[in-house]
Amino acid sequence: MTGPPPDPASGGYDIPPDVVPRLLRALDHSPATIVTFIDASFRTRWVSRSARWVGGADPDARVGRDSLELIHPDDMDAMLHGLALLRAARVDDGQSPPIVEPVRYRIRRPDGSWQAMETLVHNLLDDPAVGGLVLVGRPVGGDVDGVGQVVDLLVADAPLHEVLAACAALVPTYVASAAVVGQVDGTPIVGVPAGSPAECLAADDRWWRATLADGRQFTPLGFAGFADEVAEQARAQGFRSAWSFPLLDETTHEVLGALVAWVRIDGQPHVGTDGAFRPALRLASLVLAEQRRRYVLSREAVTDPLTGVANRTALRRWLDDAGGPVTVAMVDLDDFKQVNDTYGHEAGDAVLRAVAERLVAHVREDDLVVRLGGDEFVVAFAPDAPTEAVASSGPRLAAAVGRPIRLDHRTTVAVRASVGVATGPPSEVIRLADAALYDAKRAKRAPASPLPGGAVSPR
């Protein structure tokens, strides 16, 4: 390189005179930020053209107005305090600008809604050629502290769809309208900010079905791969692409859900859009992973680990929630000890699992199958169970359990079951069913009645 080195006092290399206007035009037409110049009295002196598409505001109408008049009342004190600290900030070397964190606040949009902003404020009040503050702001999703909003909802134990909606709101609205879909026990739960365009679009699971199925990102150009009628709904609201990002458990890599974004550009994700989605993706994944762990723990607390049916705790809760008389069937295996003694405890465990499966298969989905412990089971019938089905449940369940059970290709065993059915108040029904079960077992043990000629009647 030839020529003299740059003069530090001049700030570096000379800038061609045509570059500065180009830089100003770039700021004026920024695709994602609003640049504002305000004077010492906080009057707006200039607003970039980008305010039209980024914030929906008329920049010409803002000139000469009080820049604070659109600030949310709840954010005003914090804003004034921050500006006061900024004006007082100084550095010793007289060259480096003071380091200031971005300011977060809400500003009223032309339609009356509130938009959260994140703004860097450059203090040029001491510059005689400027004498004001330059603000470079961008809209952000959610409240002033969107992450804090999610945390507050979690602490308040809010419904999952509300927490996911707060995560979706972290995506800046000028980039996309987003929804978060969580998958809990195979059931999708959709969280979407109320009143957003995504609210009606997310009702159609074709937007996110593929991502939940295979856990892959789906970000085609335009709406490629989506049905025409689905894509047309999004186009009608001004969107040009739809992106679907998987939400994965960092530990197990299971698919927890998806973040779906309807985007206003026709393209694919790139380095310029990553920052807009990263907070929502990260927080939604953490929320759903925690929800999955809580669900697993709560399910384990009410599930018998050997058979997979409900346990005593689940039965107790079911009875506590019952509003009136209920019907239960108590099932006890008559020959189970013999299976354990002959074939071993592994075979006994296999028999218990087979019995549980048969009980589940022979009752309705709304009925509750419980393993009380050992070889004792309970079927708690839903209040709307058909009367005839409940009345015939004893022989029906005993017959289902009594069919031969194949342990392996050489061994088949059979166990009989005694069943006691009772109806009564939730606090008494288990005792009544136990008494009915005792009667059923005693009837089996009773000797046969003698008949003329020395014959006995079978029971």
Side-chain angles (χ1 to χ4, degrees), residues 149-159 162-163 294:
Q149 174 75 1
V150 175
V151 173
D152 288 344
L153 290 170
L154 287 172
V155 171
D157 200 23
E162 293 185 13
V163 182
R294 289 174 60 183

Side-chain angles (χ1 to χ4, degrees), residues 317-341:
R317 293 180 182 177
W318 188 91
L319 293 171
D320 289 343
D321 292 339
V326 293
T327 299
V328 303
M330 187 166 286
V331 182
D332 184 78
L333 305 184
D334 299 332
D335 314 308
F336 183 68
K337 184 177 184 300
Q338 183 177 345
V339 173
N340 272 339
D341 293 344

Side-chain angles (χ1 to χ4, degrees), residues 162-405:
E162 293 185 13
V163 182
L164 297 182
C167 292
L170 294 174
V171 177
T173 54
Y174 69 89
V175 174
S177 185
V180 173
V181 183
Q183 191 165 233
V184 180
D185 194 28
T187 302
I189 298 175
V190 182
V192 56
S196 70
E199 191 170 24
C200 64
L201 293 173
D204 194 323
D205 69 351
R206 285 177 288 181
W207 290 113
W208 38 265
R209 187 192 301 160
T211 298
L212 289 188
D214 59 24
R216 289 187 294 179
Q217 180 173 304
F218 189 61
T219 55
L221 289 171
F223 296 104
F226 293 107
D228 291 341
E229 68 272 15
V230 175
E232 202 54 46
Q233 292 179 10
R235 290 193 186 97
Q237 300 199 44
F239 298 109
R240 303 180 66 182
S241 297
W243 299 342
S244 181
F245 303 92
L247 301 171
L248 304 176
D249 188 311
E250 290 186 352
T251 304
T252 65
H253 302 292
E254 291 180 273
V255 180
L256 302 171
L259 185 147
V260 191
W262 292 269
V263 192
R264 303 186 188 280
I265 62 171
D266 188 1
Q268 292 180 304
H270 53 80
V271 67
T273 61
D274 288 349
F277 295 101
R278 191 178 299 112
L281 289 168
R282 174 69 174 161
L283 198 53
S285 296
L286 291 173
V287 167
L288 287 171
E290 179 60 24
Q291 181 72 22
R292 173 75 62 88
R293 280 185 276 274
R294 289 174 60 183
Y295 175 80
V296 170
L297 288 173
S298 63
R299 185 180 181 87
E300 289 177 349
V302 295
T303 302
D304 175 57
L306 175 63
T307 62
V309 298
N311 61 12
R312 284 178 176 270
T313 300
L315 177 61
R316 189 182 310 115
R317 293 180 182 177
W318 188 91
L319 293 171
D320 289 343
D321 292 339
V326 293
T327 299
V328 303
M330 187 166 286
V331 182
D332 184 78
L333 305 184
D334 299 332
D335 314 308
F336 183 68
K337 184 177 184 300
Q338 183 177 345
V339 173
N340 272 339
D341 293 344
T342 304
Y343 301 103
H345 289 284
E346 288 188 7
D349 290 346
V351 168
L352 292 174
R353 286 191 288 267
V355 168
E357 291 174 2
R358 292 178 179 183
L359 292 176
V360 170
H362 282 78
V363 298
R364 300 193 315 160
E365 187 177 351
D366 292 339
D367 301 330
L368 183 70
V369 176
V370 180
R371 182 187 174 211
L372 286 184
D375 60 351
E376 246 184 355
F377 294 83
V378 166
V379 175
F381 295 98
D384 62 346
T387 304
E388 61 276 9
V390 173
S392 64
S393 62
R396 181 164 48 86
L397 295 176
V401 171
R403 297 200 315 271
I405 299 171

Side-chain angles (χ1 to χ4, degrees), residues 378-449:
V378 166
V379 175
F381 295 98
D384 62 346
T387 304
E388 61 276 9
V390 173
S392 64
S393 62
R396 181 164 48 86
L397 295 176
V401 171
R403 297 200 315 271
I405 299 171
R406 180 176 292 277
L407 298 180
D408 54 41
H409 68 283
R410 293 180 302 174
T411 308
T412 300
V413 300
V415 292
R416 295 181 303 165
S418 297
V419 182
V421 182
T423 301
S427 59
E428 296 289 327
V429 71
I430 297 298
R431 182 184 62 80
L432 296 174
D434 192 49
L437 176 65
Y438 177 78
D439 290 342
K441 283 182 170 292
R442 185 175 58 182
K444 286 182 178 180
R445 292 193 298 266
S449 303

Side-chain angles (χ1 to χ4, degrees), residues 51-71:
R52 293 188 185 277
W53 52 85
V54 176
D58 180 359
D60 295 329
R62 293 302 310 151
V63 174
R65 305 287 294 272
D66 182 355
S67 63
L68 301 178
E69 66 182 6
L70 300 180
I71 303 295

Side-chain angles (χ1 to χ4, degrees), residues 30-34 50-57 109 117 137-139 173-174:
S30 167
T33 60
I34 302 173
S50 59
R52 293 188 185 277
W53 52 85
V54 176
R109 293 172 58 89
M117 298 288 294
R138 69 182 184 91
T173 54
Y174 69 89

